[in-house]
Amino acid sequence: FDPRHYLGTHCYGFPKTGPHRLRFLLESVKDLRETLKKKGSTLVVRKGKPEDVVRDLITQLGSASAVVFHEEVREIL
């Protein structure tokens, strides 16, 4: 979870993620983790800037054969 997604927008100061969306996200992540656990896997969840969190996870693992990510598309008005 990137803390920057929970700040106000730069245009009008509205929250980017309100309480209902946050609850949905948390419930979805919990459900995904439980589903993966039933299949013998797991889900790593971290809070922080992705550029820091991913670097730290790779360091903890000691090696990584691939890192896959996506960048949020931002509409410029």
Side-chain angles (χ1 to χ4, degrees), residues 7-33:
L7 302 173
T9 60
H10 58 65
C11 293
Y12 303 105
F14 294 116
K16 292 181 181 180
T17 304
H20 300 292
R21 182 174 182 198
L22 179 59
R23 180 178 302 145
F24 173 78
L25 289 171
L26 293 173
E27 289 173 356
S28 298
V29 168
K30 181 180 177 184
D31 183 65
L32 177 58
R33 177 180 271 161

